[in-house]
Amino acid sequence: MNRRIRLMALLAAAAMLLTACSGRGGAPQGGSSASLPEPPVAPENQILGDDSASLAREITLYRASEAAMELTAVIRLISPGADGNLTRAALEELFGARAAIEDVEFSSGAATVRLPLDAAAGRSDSDCLLLCCSIANTLLGIDGVEAVNVLSGDRAIDICGLPLGTFTGLNGNIPALYAQLQSERERFAAGGAVLERSACLYFPAYGGQYLLPEVRTVSFPDEDYASALIEALCAGPQTRRCCFSFAPEGIDLLEDAPHTSVTSGGERVLELALSPVLANYLALSGIESWQFYGSLVLTLTSFLPELDAVRVSIGGQAVTECDMGVRLARFPNGEMRRTDFDSCAGSSAWLYFARDDGNLVRLECAVSRAAATSAGSILPAMITLGGSYLPDLRSAFPEGIGPEDLLGVSVAEGVATVNLSGNFYCQCQSLDAHGERSLIYAMVNALTELDGIGAVGFLVEGRQVESLAGSIYLRTPLLPDPGLVRGYAPDA
Amino acid sequence: MAFSLIQLVGENLFTQRVRDDQRIAETLSEQIGDPLVALDIDALLALARGVADENGARVLVLDPYGVVQADTRSELSGTRLSNREVERVLSGSAESDYGFYDAGGSGGFWVRSALSLYENVRSMNGLYAQAISRGGERVGALVYITPVQEIYENLRSIQLQILSWMFVVLAMVLIVSMYIMRAVTRPIGDLSEGIRKMSGGELSARVEVRGHNEFSDLAQAFNSMSERIEALDQARSQFVSSASHELKTPLSTMKILIQTLLYQDPIDPGMAKEFLNDANQEIDRLSRIVSDLLTLVNIDSGGMKLNIENIRLRALLDEQIKRLLPLARENGIEIELEARDEVSVPGDSLKLQQVIYNVIDNAIKYTDRGGVVRVQLSRSGKRAIVRIADTGQGIPEKDLPYIFDRFYRVDKARSRATGGTGLGLSIVQQIVQLHGGKIQADSTLGEGTTFTIDLPIQP
Ligand SMILES: Nc1ncnc2c1ncn2[C@@H]1O[C@H](COP(=O)(O)OP(=O)(O)O)[C@@H](O)[C@H]1O
Ligand SMILES: [Mg+2]
């Protein structure tokens, strides 16, 4: 009997084994020894500097034919100039002459074009409008350009006695636009009508180095454009999250209505009498005076027609100088000009910071105008900005890495190749998988935000490496991963 | 069978899912090639996420070297995926491939898992890899991952059910077979145990009879056989002891007689003669016993051959009565024969003579002086009936069943005195039975005894 039971148990065990085996059979087996193809070995390529600027793009130029009051579109392949400024190159191509424009200031999607002082002088209003539209349409066709401001010299242009404001959309039918402006003028002069214009409002950006424009529609109930603009400035930035308001809300900044005076030299100067409260506020809030004056001057001169300078007095005291951080700016006769603050206008770029979980925070940050558009400068900007930019934010770069560790960037066929230094490589060795991922994708995502870059490859001292810290494979270019981006909530 | 059933159900469930996955992955891989080549992550992700969200799945887009360029969950981006399926697709050995993975532990897809019951998989995933080709060139691979935990668990529960049913069936089979074994092997075991005991000499061994089937019949047959063997054995030993006793008695008598003579000095001739005469009688007796025994042994061993011929019974009876008349007269007994017709039976003449002689001899011997022995011959149907009745002392009822036994004598002294051996009736019965007949004794104490011999007329 005992033996029989043992036999039964043996049989049952055999049955179990059989099920186990048959279960395994459910998944397809097969000893395929296929392995992944290896990427081709690229020759050593010591990239130094930044050659991304030379990338040519197709741009539509809108040429003005003054006789017919219309614009004709021509597509041209245009390479950015030596400074990497595609907007300027496009305008030079449009006018066929270098001298036709003085300067293009491209700042966070807003391009401010300065024509020579006499560009508008000899033209009729309609011709002037045609010229502006030709410029605006051309520039708006360029990736990243969202608004265009046209100045003649340092002065905003007026058409039919009204401020033109900032262009934000293409205008195809110029005669219709001109007619609309004329009727607007009539209604506005009659009073009661409200004038609506897009205006470039300049706000100080976090980081304390730059002023950034925000293009917004502002309503002007009367010809006191300055008051309306200052009110809009006091309301603070609405879309540009990296900027802040320079004035406390609810305070009446202006002691008196602003008025324009004409100097002996024939220049038009806007007189602003500001409340003495402001001096205390600026001192307490930590907002630097150049940020405040710069915002005011850049905003007002970009919009108010034919304005040359702004004269500010606080509590009756004329402001004649201002600490610019690195130097002291003096304003003769208290006249603050656009050129005094030109250099303050920065640009913004989407930079990436690390989170502890290996994900990324994507923030629009104020950077120099060059960095915003150049592959070579955006990563150094990201390193220098680091985590100091906002509280709770961590740089994706490990300690010990400086801007000099980015040896060079080159762009070809939509793929940017970043050459990292040996030091960069060494500093990354101790990263964990999360840290490595956030570092690599901070760089990839930031670079691919730039126009014309779709993927990013990496070299270390000109040579291909398998990986920085073991988990991200670096022999092939990487597409960005927008899915890694998480929100940044500094308040939380 | 149960296992192949499980297999079948499982494969069905999973092939359906694999087919669905294949359809989705093929469509998506055709669409996704363009954005992948154009490095357009937004378009690529939009396509991938659309499909992934719609199906609750996960989509990975790999470059030709297995690097994850897009992951709808952004977990594996930038890593190199070296699953078997991906390797096969990217190395060009297959256009598509699929496998199952347990993503429960690691969250990754490195743990290939079998659809087995014995691994407790927490997050079973189907992984379908499909090549992304553009203009005949392999530009990457699409990995489409769907959770199949639900299907897996269904299968698991089906498997468990089938298995538990199987165990129930197994247990039942076990119980039934054990019962059958008990019913079959136990009686056989008992029987063989009984046979073993018997061959070991324990003739009283019997088998317990249970139920009504072939085995109980066998047990019964065995029991009756062993009863017979036991009886035979008893009879044999009794026979041997009786025989030796019977043989010893005349020998010791002779020994005494001869010793008495040997110690007499001088020998009285008269007495010697008388003693020798007695010894002679004892020798006669011995030789009778021995010849009777030989006859019986002859019959027992089947060595007795009947010399069959047609026997006329009336003549035979007549002859035997004539042989015994002197003895009858000596004892003062009258013999009558009543036989109207002659009856012929097939038989051995000498043997039948012995039968009749013995029975009539008994009747004379055990009837007192002045008695009558009546011999009747009649015919009843196909049988011849010989009835021998006397008016003797009769046989006590308690002895009647044993008178045919060997050496059985009701009154030993009388039997000895008349020269009986106690074997006569035994031999008679044996011979009658050899002829296919029967012998029966009826007796009333003090009135007489009747022996009825009945023989078949036709053989
Ligand atoms: N006719 C008879 N009347 C009474 N007793 C008889 C008769 N025949 C046989 N017996 C009894 O049966 C016994 C057995 O008979 P049997 O076998 O012939 O032996 P025996 O040698 O004693 O005659 C006898 O001893 C006797 O006691
Ligand atoms: Mg006798």
Side-chain angles (χ1 to χ4, degrees):
Chain A
M1 207 64 196
N2 212 338
R3 236 173 42 207
R4 202 171 300 153
I5 285 167
R6 238 179 295 157
L7 193 87
M8 293 280 177
L10 218 88
L11 265 166
M16 295 261 226
L17 219 85
L18 233 122
T19 358
C21 290
S22 69
R24 283 188 181 287
Q29 301 282 311
S32 105
S33 55
S35 60
L36 289 176
E38 291 299 325
V41 178
E44 190 174 329
N45 177 17
Q46 186 65 273
I47 301 165
L48 295 173
D50 177 10
D51 75 345
S52 67
S54 58
L55 212 72
R57 297 191 192 98
E58 276 188 347
I59 288 166
T60 312
L61 304 177
Y62 292 85
R63 293 217 160 113
S65 62
E66 284 167 25
M69 270 283 277
E70 54 177 39
L71 300 171
T72 42
V74 206
I75 296 175
R76 286 279 180 280
L77 195 65
I78 293 172
S79 311
D83 57 349
N85 197 337
L86 193 64
T87 49
R88 191 189 172 96
L91 290 183
E92 281 171 4
E93 181 74 25
L94 178 67
F95 294 117
R98 198 166 268 270
I101 25 167
E102 247 175 24
D103 183 31
V104 183
E105 173 194 302
F106 182 60
S107 171
S108 279
T112 303
V113 179
R114 286 211 307 221
L115 300 173
L117 194 59
D118 55 354
R123 292 175 193 260
S124 67
D125 272 358
S126 60
D127 279 354
C128 210
L129 183 65
L130 189 66
L131 176 68
C132 290
C133 285
S134 144
I135 294 172
N137 284 3
T138 301
L139 292 186
L140 285 169
I142 298 176
D143 253 347
V145 179
E146 284 150 17
V148 176
N149 226 2
V150 183
L151 303 180
S152 172
D154 281 337
R155 310 163 88 180
I157 293 172
D158 75 317
I159 308 274
C160 310
L162 284 180
L164 195 52
T166 305
F167 289 91
T168 54
L170 292 182
N171 290 297
N173 192 343
I174 310 301
L177 179 66
Y178 185 64
Q180 189 198 331
L181 288 177
Q182 277 180 318
S183 74
E184 255 181 356
R185 162 77 250 177
E186 271 161 37
R187 274 189 286 130
F188 194 58
V194 174
L195 187 68
E196 301 228 309
R197 283 286 181 271
S198 288
C200 259
L201 304 172
Y202 284 82
F203 292 98
Y206 293 105
Q209 291 188 50
Y210 302 107
L211 300 173
L212 299 187
E214 179 186 284
V215 177
R216 201 199 295 172
T217 305
V218 182
S219 303
F220 301 94
D222 51 40
E223 291 204 359
D224 184 6
Y225 307 128
S227 294
L229 286 173
I230 290 173
E231 206 176 301
L233 278 174
C234 285
Q238 281 174 6
T239 54
R240 218 165 272 292
R241 303 270 312 271
C242 59
C243 294
F244 54 90
S245 169
F246 64 54
E249 230 178 316
I251 283 188
D252 208 356
L253 266 185
L254 291 168
E255 280 206 316
D256 252 328
H259 66 274
T260 314
S261 60
V262 180
T263 63
S264 52
E267 287 188 324
R268 290 157 59 86
V269 178
L270 184 74
E271 308 277 355
L272 291 179
L274 301 182
S275 157
V277 184
L278 192 70
N280 291 334
Y281 174 73
L282 289 181
L284 284 174
S285 64
I287 297 171
E288 303 201 32
S289 49
W290 68 264
Q291 291 179 313
F292 176 75
Y293 300 126
S295 298
L296 267 184
V297 171
L298 289 180
T299 304
L300 292 172
T301 54
S302 298
F303 189 83
L304 261 58
E306 321 226 304
L307 185 67
D308 290 301
V310 178
R311 195 178 289 145
V312 179
S313 64
I314 297 182
Q317 197 126 35
V319 178
T320 56
E321 53 178 36
C322 157
D323 183 3
M324 297 293 283
V326 285
R327 67 191 164 87
L328 196 69
R330 292 181 193 286
F331 311 116
N333 299 325
E335 288 163 13
M336 301 177 185
R337 293 166 191 278
R338 190 182 169 86
T339 45
D340 290 325
F341 297 99
D342 256 355
S343 59
C344 299
S347 190
S348 64
W350 290 98
L351 301 188
Y352 289 79
F353 299 90
R355 279 164 55 114
D356 289 332
D357 57 4
N359 290 312
L360 298 172
V361 175
R362 177 184 187 252
L363 274 185
E364 189 183 35
C365 297
V367 293
S368 73
R369 295 208 295 272
T373 51
S374 118
S377 325
I378 195 156
L379 295 186
M382 222 152 79
I383 295 178
T384 32
L385 216 51
S388 65
Y389 186 67
L390 278 176
D392 301 341
L393 213 57
R394 205 161 58 73
S395 168
F397 294 87
E399 256 168 67
I401 289 179
E404 69 281 1
D405 287 314
L406 298 158
L407 301 178
V409 181
S410 80
V411 179
E413 291 172 9
V415 177
T417 306
V418 181
N419 191 12
L420 306 171
S421 75
N423 177 53
F424 194 112
Y425 183 79
C426 293
Q427 300 297 334
C428 293
Q429 291 312 298
S430 56
L431 285 177
D432 61 357
H434 278 163
E436 184 185 9
R437 186 172 73 174
S438 49
L439 170 60
I440 298 287
Y441 276 98
M443 293 194 279
V444 174
N445 282 12
L447 283 172
T448 49
E449 295 269 1
L450 297 181
D451 189 26
I453 299 180
V456 179
F458 292 91
L459 299 174
V460 173
E461 299 284 352
R463 255 174 270 167
Q464 284 188 322
V465 290
E466 185 92 8
S467 159
L468 279 186
S471 60
I472 307 283
Y473 188 76
L474 292 183
R475 281 186 182 277
T476 62
L478 297 173
L479 292 180
D481 189 350
L484 289 175
V485 175
R486 300 287 182 275
Y488 168 67
D491 305 328
Chain B
M1 204 196 75
F3 299 120
S4 52
L5 193 73
I6 295 172
Q7 198 70 18
L8 207 78
V9 171
E11 246 150 51
N12 232 325
L13 281 172
F14 280 99
T15 5
Q16 184 56 43
R17 171 52 72 95
V18 169
R19 223 175 286 136
D20 291 350
D21 288 357
Q22 178 182 17
R23 192 173 38 74
I24 295 167
E26 268 171 12
T27 321
L28 185 59
S29 71
E30 277 162 28
Q31 299 169 329
I32 222 159
D34 286 336
L36 179 62
V37 169
L39 305 177
D40 186 350
I41 188 69
D42 295 324
L44 192 146
L45 269 183
L47 277 170
R49 282 188 179 142
V51 169
D53 293 348
E54 190 184 321
N55 301 293
R58 178 173 180 180
V59 174
L60 306 178
V61 180
L62 275 55
D63 70 10
Y65 312 110
V67 180
V68 178
Q69 294 292 0
D71 174 4
T72 51
R73 282 202 214 147
S74 291
E75 283 164 9
L76 295 173
S77 314
T79 58
R80 214 171 178 207
L81 208 63
S82 51
N83 303 50
R84 210 184 61 104
E85 291 76 20
V86 169
E87 282 176 352
R88 290 198 59 209
V89 166
L90 284 179
S91 67
S93 49
E95 192 63 24
S96 63
D97 196 9
Y98 76 94
F100 293 97
Y101 285 85
D102 176 12
S106 58
F109 294 91
W110 349 110
V111 189
R112 256 178 97 75
S113 187
L115 300 176
S116 160
L117 180 64
Y118 305 104
E119 286 159 48
N120 190 11
V121 174
R122 274 174 294 156
S123 167
M124 182 64 100
N125 283 278
L127 186 149
Y128 195 94
Q130 166 80 41
I132 304 175
S133 297
R134 222 159 138 278
E137 201 189 336
R138 201 149 292 196
V139 296
L142 182 86
V143 175
Y144 183 76
I145 298 164
T146 43
V148 289
Q149 183 69 9
E150 204 179 311
I151 301 180
Y152 170 74
E153 252 149 40
N154 279 347
L155 180 65
R156 232 171 104 88
S157 72
I158 290 174
Q159 281 182 324
L160 269 178
Q161 265 173 30
I162 292 180
L163 261 199
S164 47
W165 271 111
M166 253 183 40
F167 276 116
V168 168
V169 168
L170 206 81
M172 269 159 60
V173 165
L174 218 95
I175 290 168
V176 167
S177 63
M178 259 155 75
Y179 176 79
I180 288 174
M181 272 175 202
R182 248 172 76 95
V184 173
T185 56
R186 225 177 100 171
I188 290 180
D190 288 357
L191 212 61
S192 64
E193 174 76 15
I195 290 170
R196 207 164 43 75
K197 276 188 189 164
M198 267 191 82
S199 57
E202 198 183 319
L203 298 179
S204 60
R206 296 289 182 277
V207 174
E208 197 186 334
V209 178
R210 263 186 249 97
H212 297 277
N213 52 28
E214 284 84 351
F215 290 108
S216 65
D217 289 353
L218 193 65
Q220 237 153 12
F222 173 82
N223 281 351
S224 53
M225 179 190 78
S226 51
E227 262 161 39
R228 255 194 83 80
I229 290 174
E230 195 184 11
L232 273 175
D233 186 65
Q234 265 172 7
R236 179 190 55 86
S237 45
Q238 205 187 336
F239 174 69
V240 169
S241 76
S242 311
S244 38
H245 179 73
E246 290 298 330
L247 292 173
K248 215 179 154 200
T249 315
L251 283 175
S252 33
T253 313
M254 284 193 296
K255 170 111 180 138
I256 293 165
L257 288 171
I258 290 166
Q259 245 172 6
T260 318
L261 279 178
L262 282 176
Y263 291 118
Q264 249 180 7
D265 198 29
I267 298 172
D268 174 6
M271 198 174 161
K273 185 157 183 168
E274 193 194 328
F275 274 28
L276 286 175
N277 197 39
D278 282 354
N280 192 36
Q281 270 181 12
E282 286 305 319
I283 289 171
D284 286 348
R285 206 173 125 73
L286 255 183
S287 80
R288 265 203 315 280
I289 291 174
V290 170
S291 87
D292 277 359
L293 275 177
L294 277 175
T295 312
L296 270 175
V297 166
N298 203 9
I299 293 169
D300 281 350
S301 64
M304 174 166 284
K305 293 269 179 321
L306 289 183
N307 192 8
I308 301 287
E309 53 192 324
N310 206 32
I311 309 291
R312 287 183 287 127
L313 277 179
R314 193 170 65 175
L316 190 139
L317 287 174
D318 213 31
E319 192 185 333
Q320 295 311 313
I321 291 170
K322 273 194 188 117
R323 270 182 72 193
L324 284 163
L325 263 179
L327 181 70
R329 252 182 233 131
E330 195 182 310
N331 284 316
I333 288 163
E334 230 176 283
I335 305 178
E336 290 173 6
L337 172 67
E338 276 179 37
R340 252 174 288 144
D341 304 311
E342 177 63 278
V343 180
S344 292
V345 291
D348 186 312
S349 171
L350 279 177
K351 302 284 181 316
L352 285 181
Q353 281 176 23
Q354 201 178 349
V355 168
I356 300 302
Y357 182 92
N358 265 340
V359 177
I360 297 175
D361 177 55
N362 277 351
I364 294 167
K365 278 198 290 185
Y366 301 106
T367 303
D368 297 333
R369 194 166 281 279
V372 179
V373 173
R374 188 166 290 116
V375 179
Q376 288 177 311
L377 172 66
S378 63
R379 186 183 162 141
S380 162
K382 303 218 159 146
R383 309 193 77 88
I385 312 282
V386 178
R387 194 171 282 124
I388 297 156
D390 61 58
T391 54
Q393 60 217 18
I395 305 166
E397 204 172 334
K398 65 172 172 55
D399 295 312
L400 202 57
Y402 308 109
I403 53 168
F404 294 102
D405 290 355
R406 293 168 190 190
F407 300 112
Y408 193 92
R409 281 162 294 189
V410 177
D411 181 352
K412 284 219 165 69
R414 175 146 190 168
S415 170
R416 267 182 79 79
T418 55
T421 59
L423 293 170
L425 279 181
S426 273
I427 295 171
V428 165
Q429 192 185 34
Q430 297 278 15
I431 292 172
V432 170
Q433 278 173 0
L434 273 175
H435 280 83
K438 281 185 293 188
I439 180 162
Q440 190 194 331
D442 302 293
S443 180
T444 314
L445 202 61
E447 282 181 16
T449 309
T450 307
F451 285 86
T452 311
I453 300 164
D454 132 2
L455 293 167
I457 288 172
Q458 266 144 26

